[in-house]
Amino acid sequence: MSAVPLLKVSDVSKFYGSRIGCRNVSFELYPGEVLAIVGESGSGKTTLLSCLSTRLMPTSGVVEYHMRDGQYRDLARMSEAERRFLMRTDWGFVHQNPADGLRMTVSAGANVGERLMAVGDRHYGNIRAAAGDWLRRVEIEEDRIDDQPRAFSGGMRQRLQIARNLVTSPRLVFMDEPTGGLDVSVQARLLDLVRGLVHDLGLAAVIVTHDLAVARLLSHRMMVMKDGAVIEQGLTDRVLDDPREPYTQLLVSSILQV
Amino acid sequence: MYVAVKGGEAAIANAHRLLADRRRGDRSLPSITIEQVVEQLGLAVDRVMAEASLYDRALAALAVRQARGDMIEAIFILRAYRTTLPRFGYSEPVDTARMKVERRVSATYKDLPGGQLLGPTFDYTHRLLDPSLIGEDAVDEPALKEPGEHVMRVSDILDGEGLIEGDGQMPEGHVMGDLTREPMEFPMARDLRLQALARGDEGFLLALAYSTQRGYGRTHPFVGEVRIGEVEVELELPELGFAVSLGTVRVTECQMVNQFKGSAKQPPQFTRGYGLVFGQSERKAMSMSLVDRSLRTDEFDEDIVAPAQDQEFVISHADNVQATGFVEHLKLPHYVDFQAELDLVRRMRREYEPAQPGGKNVMKEAAE
Amino acid sequence: MNDLANYNFAYLDEQTKRMIRRAILKAIAIPGYQVPFASREMPMPYGWGTGGVQVTASILGPSDVLKVIDQGADDTTNAVSIRAFFQKVANVAVTTRTADATIIQTRHRIPEEKLGEGQTLVYQVPIPEPLRFLEPRETETRKMHALEEYGLMHVKLYEDIARNGHIATTYAYPVKVEGRYVMDPSPTPKFDNPKMHMSEALQLFGAGREKRIYAVPPYTEVVSLDFEDHPFEVQKFDRPCALCGAENVYLDEVVLDDKGGRMFVCSDTDHCEDRRAHGHAGAMLAPAAKESQEAAE
């Protein structure tokens, strides 16, 4: 891991009127590092993810990103054009529901190729070859390249969404419950795939999940959120094996009993 | 030899003559007068005035007659006239509290100051065809209440207790828009939305309003009040420094009382949907108020999950003059484009054939 | 009510014309950008050329010579109707000859004859937004234009090739204007797209129902979108016009009988008549026309 953080988050809070979304969250994320944010629904983890990925403007606090040119940029001060460009090149966002992240009525090949076309690739053959290559890497048969995601199973759709995000070689990927809604056996295969890709590509990732097993399998570090605040954070193995906060202990014990 | 279709001009002229003939119908019958249309088909005239947004009974009646009773055509004719009229200014908002009510009903209170006043309504008629209307019909003189009585609005009764949100206030410094003089932009503020709904197609708004009742964006409505009657239109003249009356118009107003909202900071209050249309049209005013309320998602932090809540969808498609033009333009010639498509389909079929295994043409087989 | 029939020159009041001219000037200043304007209700239906009519009415002067075509022809009913409208409300000179016209209002075609400086081509546009069928929301498409996010446009072309082996868009084929805005050329066949590029004439586009005006000023770059390995190409007809023998023009297919008999003739009727007046003759007019040739086609 590099010595310079990719993402610097300082004191981020988000209020919806008087209701707290998340408050005073600070952390740094390094290149190649996978951070899991865990907590029950309503704990603020999705709000935090939205603030990090510029889908929501934080009420206060700063999120800075280490651009490819070596500069740190305050995401809130970037123009919308710059933010959107970042989102389709250097970042990825994997939604819980693949339908939110895919074009369901457009072929798998075009779904993967869209980002390439968006950044100016104008050679059909090359775009198609890249799309085919990525389908293979996410274990979708290449002959499905002209099929629409509507004809895909849930697990395939999720893998397609991942390919669509990774085709421009992003450095940072946000994932919102990436295995939610999938069968257990399908989940296991997807987790294996994500773990392999993250490792091979040296991706940094922020993964929101309520599933501690996902956090254990994928993340290096984790943060536990409750009522909008981070109550415990540390290396994943440490937090799971030796939870310090009573709430984390409860969370860990309740999950393990299942 | 083939001769390309010519003589568009003559064809059009002939079509117009035939149209005039069909409009007039049997010459042995007396021609229907504008006054008769105004007096005896008053609700048709009202609808044309409302959706053309021009209050002139005689012109609306003329349009109805000219359009052979085709309402959207009549609305179209009147709109195309309205758009050429110069603007002198914008009237003061009409004060419906000072309406001379002819009809006023509330579903929220059994009795209230001013009482329930049924007025000229179809509501409790039995919908039985009335053969006595064939031919001359003699009608009894109506029993009328004292005309010109002002009755308190139900919304003011609720407002007095703070139980309902106030009359829609636009943000400070907001300049009232004019839908007919500015390009549409989304998101659209409520003043412009209400203008669009007021001239929107009755059938479209009715269907949308109905959809909210069936669960596509529920708003828990109660008819606070529907009132029909005459209100004064006033224009402020800068030279005089005060408003002068230009005359009266008959309008239908619906105040829909909807689901309450509240928060820790704000005590719960009922919300409102508002409908106001020219003439007598309760169906339109009620539909408008339901749709107005369901479009106010941003004010109440509601998720847009149903068509009636989606302002771009609703406003973009509510105008029947626009809609009918674009739907009907499909009958204009498109043969240049169709030729391009024909050419492509033929080419693709040529490419398709040799690609089939064994040269077999699957499509042909299926056709045989 | 007899005084109702007093209309201004070219129907629209002068204030409205000024508003539309301002929109046109802005459109010319930003080639390919859709300028919102307060479209008026016109005495013809939306979708029937109200945008083009408003643009024409706003730029028309008493000394102009107007030509109106629909599908390339001067005598299609809607072209006749619009021409008659301007004769009535502006008493303006009209022509069917492309070279004589100062303003040409068109639906679905660009004349075959090259337009020159001083001429203005006014297009009637039904759906001005080239991204509309990919993204129905105006709020979103405006943002896409503002941020120059046109990836989706190529997704559509990609899908065409993946499904059909080539780009299957035959009309309303999207173009990029002066390297910036992606623009809908109105539903002209893509055959006409190259004529827009570096045209000497001013090209104005009016969409009445959608309330948008846009423009391509003279000598402006207009490039049809494509892929490097699937370049843009226009329709080619494998025969000349049956009446005037013209090649490399757009042809209409005319059904002659119920036995599959067809003939192909110029869609631009003025061009065809002009050629015939100059002694050109196609297979149907030539004395030695072989009927068997047509039957085979």
Side-chain angles (χ1 to χ4, degrees), chain C residues 64-65 98-104 113-121 195 198-203 216-220:
Chain C
D64 272 309
V65 180
T98 301
D100 293 348
T102 55
I103 298 173
I104 303 171
E113 194 171 332
K114 191 166 173 284
L115 301 179
E117 276 186 23
Q119 289 186 300
T120 303
L121 187 59
K195 295 178 190 158
M198 289 297 176
S199 168
E200 292 173 22
L202 169 64
Q203 303 174 76
V216 176
Y219 304 106
T220 299

Side-chain angles (χ1 to χ4, degrees), chain C residues 24-89:
Chain C
I24 292 172
L25 288 174
K26 181 168 178 183
I28 293 171
I30 317 172
Y33 171 75
Q34 300 167 50
V35 181
F37 81 112
S39 176
R40 298 292 190 252
E41 262 116 1
M42 298 300 284
M44 59 269 297
Y46 284 111
W48 298 52
T50 55
V53 168
Q54 289 180 75
V55 169
T56 300
S58 304
I59 61 172
L60 195 65
S63 60
D64 272 309
V65 180
L66 179 70
K67 171 182 164 79
V68 183
I69 52 173
D70 187 342
Q71 315 294 301
D74 297 272
D75 60 354
T76 37
T77 42
N78 203 41
V80 169
S81 169
I82 290 172
R83 193 166 55 237
F85 173 75
F86 280 113
Q87 277 177 291
K88 185 170 171 182
V89 298

Side-chain angles (χ1 to χ4, degrees), chain B residues 311-324:
Chain B
Q311 54 160 285
E312 219 181 304
F313 178 80
V314 172
I315 305 294
S316 300
H317 302 115
D319 190 306
N320 53 24
V321 177
Q322 285 173 13
T324 199

Side-chain angles (χ1 to χ4, degrees), chain B residues 124-336:
Chain B
Y124 304 102
T125 61
H126 300 137
R127 270 66 169 198
L128 304 172
L129 280 171
D130 183 357
S132 74
L133 290 183
I134 301 172
E136 289 298 312
D137 56 323
V139 173
D140 296 334
E141 283 303 310
L144 287 175
K145 263 188 99 171
E146 197 86 340
E149 193 184 340
H150 297 164
V151 297
M152 196 178 187
R153 292 185 301 194
V154 169
S155 53
D156 296 333
I157 300 172
L158 286 166
D159 203 16
E161 284 184 73
L163 292 177
I164 196 165
E165 58 165 332
D167 261 330
Q169 290 294 329
M170 300 307 291
E172 195 122 340
H174 180 85
V175 179
M176 192 64 67
D178 181 346
L179 189 74
T180 65
R181 283 293 182 266
E182 298 148 21
M184 275 197 207
E185 261 182 81
F186 295 103
M188 188 180 271
R190 192 176 175 208
D191 53 342
L192 285 166
R193 292 203 307 258
L194 285 168
Q195 290 175 21
L197 296 178
R199 55 165 31 200
D201 182 72
E202 180 175 314
F204 180 71
L205 295 182
L206 174 66
L208 281 174
Y210 179 44
S211 73
T212 67
Q213 290 180 284
R214 291 193 65 261
Y216 291 87
R218 285 180 75 193
T219 57
H220 305 271
F222 299 92
V223 170
E225 180 176 359
V226 170
R227 53 169 61 197
I228 302 174
E230 306 235 313
V231 291
E232 222 159 319
V233 178
E234 294 180 331
L235 183 72
E236 176 144 346
L237 296 177
E239 299 89 332
L240 298 178
F242 55 85
V244 296
S245 172
L246 301 177
T248 60
V249 294
R250 176 183 297 272
V251 294
T252 304
E253 182 189 56
C254 175
Q255 296 260 11
M256 201 63 84
V257 178
N258 298 82
Q259 190 166 36
F260 58 87
K261 291 277 167 184
S263 64
K265 278 193 176 160
Q266 236 182 342
Q269 276 189 322
F270 289 108
T271 58
R272 304 191 200 205
Y274 188 71
L276 182 73
V277 293
F278 279 155
Q280 174 174 351
S281 179
E282 249 160 72
R283 183 186 302 122
K284 170 76 181 277
M286 291 174 70
S287 300
M288 176 175 168
S289 63
L290 286 169
V291 176
D292 169 49
R293 174 60 187 82
S294 58
L295 287 178
R296 296 174 64 199
T297 50
D298 54 336
E299 291 173 69
F300 303 120
D301 248 337
E302 292 164 336
D303 288 333
I304 297 175
V305 294
Q309 296 173 306
D310 182 335
Q311 54 160 285
E312 219 181 304
F313 178 80
V314 172
I315 305 294
S316 300
H317 302 115
D319 190 306
N320 53 24
V321 177
Q322 285 173 13
T324 199
F326 201 49
V327 166
E328 293 195 54
H329 107 283
L330 290 174
K331 65 196 170 194
L332 289 180
H334 283 80
Y335 45 74
V336 163

Side-chain angles (χ1 to χ4, degrees), chain A residues 109 113 116-117 121-132, chain C residues 158 227:
Chain A
L116 295 175
M117 294 182 251
D121 207 324
R122 291 289 175 269
H123 192 283
Y124 174 83
N126 294 350
I127 294 164
R128 194 169 170 81
Chain C
Y158 172 98
F227 286 105

